[in-house]
PDB file of all heavy atoms in Angstrom:
ATOM      1  N   LEU A   3      19.514  11.567  19.292  1.00 83.00           N
ATOM      2  CA  LEU A   3      18.489  11.269  20.284  1.00 83.00           C
ATOM      3  C   LEU A   3      17.721  10.001  19.909  1.00 83.00           C
ATOM      4  O   LEU A   3      17.363   9.211  20.766  1.00 83.00           O
ATOM      5  CB  LEU A   3      17.523  12.450  20.405  1.00 83.00           C
ATOM      6  CG  LEU A   3      16.403  12.311  21.429  1.00 83.00           C
ATOM      7  CD1 LEU A   3      16.989  12.274  22.839  1.00 83.00           C
ATOM      8  CD2 LEU A   3      15.434  13.468  21.305  1.00 83.00           C
ATOM      9  N   GLU A  13      10.934   8.255   8.658  1.00 96.00           N
ATOM     10  CA  GLU A  13      11.074   8.725   7.277  1.00 96.00           C
ATOM     11  C   GLU A  13      10.099   8.005   6.350  1.00 96.00           C
ATOM     12  O   GLU A  13       9.470   8.640   5.489  1.00 96.00           O
ATOM     13  CB  GLU A  13      12.505   8.542   6.795  1.00 96.00           C
ATOM     14  CG  GLU A  13      13.478   9.510   7.437  1.00 96.00           C
ATOM     15  CD  GLU A  13      14.935   9.194   7.142  1.00 96.00           C
ATOM     16  OE1 GLU A  13      15.223   8.292   6.316  1.00 96.00           O
ATOM     17  OE2 GLU A  13      15.806   9.841   7.760  1.00 96.00           O
ATOM     18  N   GLU A  20       2.910  12.196   3.385  1.00 96.00           N
ATOM     19  CA  GLU A  20       3.017  13.281   2.408  1.00 96.00           C
ATOM     20  C   GLU A  20       2.370  12.890   1.081  1.00 96.00           C
ATOM     21  O   GLU A  20       1.661  13.700   0.466  1.00 96.00           O
ATOM     22  CB  GLU A  20       4.480  13.672   2.188  1.00 96.00           C
ATOM     23  CG  GLU A  20       4.613  14.870   1.266  1.00 96.00           C
ATOM     24  CD  GLU A  20       6.037  15.355   1.090  1.00 96.00           C
ATOM     25  OE1 GLU A  20       6.968  14.760   1.663  1.00 96.00           O
ATOM     26  OE2 GLU A  20       6.207  16.339   0.356  1.00 96.00           O
ATOM     27  N   ILE A  27       5.868  15.877   7.292  1.00 97.00           N
ATOM     28  CA  ILE A  27       6.129  15.712   8.721  1.00 97.00           C
ATOM     29  C   ILE A  27       7.637  15.730   8.950  1.00 97.00           C
ATOM     30  O   ILE A  27       8.384  15.039   8.263  1.00 97.00           O
ATOM     31  CB  ILE A  27       5.543  14.386   9.243  1.00 97.00           C
ATOM     32  CG1 ILE A  27       4.025  14.397   9.129  1.00 97.00           C
ATOM     33  CG2 ILE A  27       5.977  14.139  10.690  1.00 97.00           C
ATOM     34  CD1 ILE A  27       3.368  13.100   9.569  1.00 97.00           C
ATOM     35  N   GLN A  34      20.535  20.533  22.902  1.00 82.00           N
ATOM     36  CA  GLN A  34      20.085  20.991  24.216  1.00 82.00           C
ATOM     37  C   GLN A  34      20.632  22.358  24.591  1.00 82.00           C
ATOM     38  O   GLN A  34      19.976  23.119  25.286  1.00 82.00           O
ATOM     39  CB  GLN A  34      20.456  19.973  25.290  1.00 82.00           C
ATOM     40  CG  GLN A  34      19.500  18.814  25.359  1.00 82.00           C
ATOM     41  CD  GLN A  34      18.057  19.256  25.448  1.00 82.00           C
ATOM     42  OE1 GLN A  34      17.290  19.040  24.537  1.00 82.00           O
ATOM     43  NE2 GLN A  34      17.666  19.886  26.523  1.00 82.00           N
ATOM     44  N   LYS A  51      14.625  24.929   8.861  1.00 93.00           N
ATOM     45  CA  LYS A  51      13.484  25.092   7.948  1.00 93.00           C
ATOM     46  C   LYS A  51      13.961  25.264   6.515  1.00 93.00           C
ATOM     47  O   LYS A  51      13.438  24.650   5.599  1.00 93.00           O
ATOM     48  CB  LYS A  51      12.636  26.309   8.356  1.00 93.00           C
ATOM     49  CG  LYS A  51      11.801  26.096   9.572  1.00 93.00           C
ATOM     50  CD  LYS A  51      11.017  27.360   9.894  1.00 93.00           C
ATOM     51  CE  LYS A  51      10.111  27.171  11.077  1.00 93.00           C
ATOM     52  NZ  LYS A  51       9.359  28.396  11.402  1.00 93.00           N
ATOM     53  N   ARG A  86      -6.410  24.028   6.345  1.00 94.00           N
ATOM     54  CA  ARG A  86      -6.991  22.940   5.555  1.00 94.00           C
ATOM     55  C   ARG A  86      -7.831  21.979   6.410  1.00 94.00           C
ATOM     56  O   ARG A  86      -8.869  21.495   5.979  1.00 94.00           O
ATOM     57  CB  ARG A  86      -5.877  22.173   4.853  1.00 94.00           C
ATOM     58  CG  ARG A  86      -6.371  21.024   4.013  1.00 94.00           C
ATOM     59  CD  ARG A  86      -5.237  20.407   3.245  1.00 94.00           C
ATOM     60  NE  ARG A  86      -5.627  19.128   2.711  1.00 94.00           N
ATOM     61  CZ  ARG A  86      -4.800  18.178   2.369  1.00 94.00           C
ATOM     62  NH1 ARG A  86      -3.491  18.374   2.465  1.00 94.00           N
ATOM     63  NH2 ARG A  86      -5.233  17.030   1.901  1.00 94.00           N
ATOM     64  N   ALA A  94      -6.795  21.113  20.324  1.00 95.00           N
ATOM     65  CA  ALA A  94      -7.047  20.213  21.461  1.00 95.00           C
ATOM     66  C   ALA A  94      -6.496  18.816  21.173  1.00 95.00           C
ATOM     67  O   ALA A  94      -5.890  18.188  22.059  1.00 95.00           O
ATOM     68  CB  ALA A  94      -8.543  20.138  21.756  1.00 95.00           C
ATOM     69  N   TYR A  95      -6.684  18.335  19.963  1.00 96.00           N
ATOM     70  CA  TYR A  95      -6.152  17.021  19.600  1.00 96.00           C
ATOM     71  C   TYR A  95      -4.622  17.029  19.641  1.00 96.00           C
ATOM     72  O   TYR A  95      -3.997  16.132  20.202  1.00 96.00           O
ATOM     73  CB  TYR A  95      -6.648  16.596  18.204  1.00 96.00           C
ATOM     74  CG  TYR A  95      -5.924  15.392  17.678  1.00 96.00           C
ATOM     75  CD1 TYR A  95      -6.221  14.124  18.158  1.00 96.00           C
ATOM     76  CD2 TYR A  95      -4.905  15.524  16.739  1.00 96.00           C
ATOM     77  CE1 TYR A  95      -5.526  13.016  17.698  1.00 96.00           C
ATOM     78  CE2 TYR A  95      -4.217  14.423  16.278  1.00 96.00           C
ATOM     79  CZ  TYR A  95      -4.531  13.176  16.763  1.00 96.00           C
ATOM     80  OH  TYR A  95      -3.834  12.081  16.324  1.00 96.00           O
ATOM     81  N   ALA A  98      -3.447  17.021  23.118  1.00 96.00           N
ATOM     82  CA  ALA A  98      -3.648  15.702  23.736  1.00 96.00           C
ATOM     83  C   ALA A  98      -2.535  14.733  23.333  1.00 96.00           C
ATOM     84  O   ALA A  98      -2.058  13.946  24.165  1.00 96.00           O
ATOM     85  CB  ALA A  98      -5.014  15.144  23.344  1.00 96.00           C
ATOM     86  N   GLY A 104       4.313  12.922  25.487  1.00 93.00           N
ATOM     87  CA  GLY A 104       5.433  13.752  25.883  1.00 93.00           C
ATOM     88  C   GLY A 104       5.643  13.922  27.371  1.00 93.00           C
ATOM     89  O   GLY A 104       6.553  14.623  27.781  1.00 93.00           O
ATOM     90  N   ASP A 115      12.630   6.734  21.682  1.00 94.00           N
ATOM     91  CA  ASP A 115      12.334   6.193  20.356  1.00 94.00           C
ATOM     92  C   ASP A 115      10.868   5.805  20.239  1.00 94.00           C
ATOM     93  O   ASP A 115      10.185   6.189  19.279  1.00 94.00           O
ATOM     94  CB  ASP A 115      13.213   4.967  20.070  1.00 94.00           C
ATOM     95  CG  ASP A 115      14.611   5.359  19.667  1.00 94.00           C
ATOM     96  OD1 ASP A 115      15.365   5.863  20.518  1.00 94.00           O
ATOM     97  OD2 ASP A 115      14.949   5.176  18.491  1.00 94.00           O
ATOM     98  N   GLU A 123       2.967   8.361  14.760  1.00 98.00           N
ATOM     99  CA  GLU A 123       1.964   7.430  14.220  1.00 98.00           C
ATOM    100  C   GLU A 123       0.554   7.921  14.519  1.00 98.00           C
ATOM    101  O   GLU A 123      -0.332   7.844  13.661  1.00 98.00           O
ATOM    102  CB  GLU A 123       2.169   6.032  14.804  1.00 98.00           C
ATOM    103  CG  GLU A 123       3.339   5.297  14.223  1.00 98.00           C
ATOM    104  CD  GLU A 123       3.590   3.934  14.856  1.00 98.00           C
ATOM    105  OE1 GLU A 123       3.087   3.665  15.974  1.00 98.00           O
ATOM    106  OE2 GLU A 123       4.299   3.133  14.221  1.00 98.00           O
ATOM    107  N   LEU A 125      -0.556  11.015  15.044  1.00 97.00           N
ATOM    108  CA  LEU A 125      -0.893  12.149  14.187  1.00 97.00           C
ATOM    109  C   LEU A 125      -0.971  11.756  12.724  1.00 97.00           C
ATOM    110  O   LEU A 125      -1.799  12.277  11.976  1.00 97.00           O
ATOM    111  CB  LEU A 125       0.116  13.278  14.401  1.00 97.00           C
ATOM    112  CG  LEU A 125      -0.588  14.550  14.882  1.00 97.00           C
ATOM    113  CD1 LEU A 125       0.280  15.383  15.761  1.00 97.00           C
ATOM    114  CD2 LEU A 125      -1.096  15.329  13.722  1.00 97.00           C
ATOM    115  N   CYS A 128      -4.310  10.271  12.100  1.00 96.00           N
ATOM    116  CA  CYS A 128      -5.276  11.364  12.011  1.00 96.00           C
ATOM    117  C   CYS A 128      -5.223  11.998  10.623  1.00 96.00           C
ATOM    118  O   CYS A 128      -6.261  12.207   9.993  1.00 96.00           O
ATOM    119  CB  CYS A 128      -4.984  12.401  13.093  1.00 96.00           C
ATOM    120  SG  CYS A 128      -5.971  13.902  12.927  1.00 96.00           S
ATOM    121  N   PHE A 130      -4.150  10.720   7.781  1.00 96.00           N
ATOM    122  CA  PHE A 130      -4.706   9.788   6.794  1.00 96.00           C
ATOM    123  C   PHE A 130      -6.235   9.856   6.824  1.00 96.00           C
ATOM    124  O   PHE A 130      -6.883   9.876   5.775  1.00 96.00           O
ATOM    125  CB  PHE A 130      -4.262   8.352   7.077  1.00 96.00           C
ATOM    126  CG  PHE A 130      -2.870   8.023   6.619  1.00 96.00           C
ATOM    127  CD1 PHE A 130      -1.996   7.360   7.474  1.00 96.00           C
ATOM    128  CD2 PHE A 130      -2.423   8.337   5.343  1.00 96.00           C
ATOM    129  CE1 PHE A 130      -0.713   7.026   7.061  1.00 96.00           C
ATOM    130  CE2 PHE A 130      -1.143   8.009   4.922  1.00 96.00           C
ATOM    131  CZ  PHE A 130      -0.284   7.354   5.782  1.00 96.00           C
TER     132      PHE A 130
END
Side-chain angles (χ1 to χ4, degrees):
L3 181 66
E13 288 171 7
E20 185 176 1
I27 296 178
Q34 279 309 113
K51 286 179 177 179
R86 180 174 166 202
Y95 169 76
D115 281 69
E123 285 177 342
L125 240 149
C128 172
F130 281 133

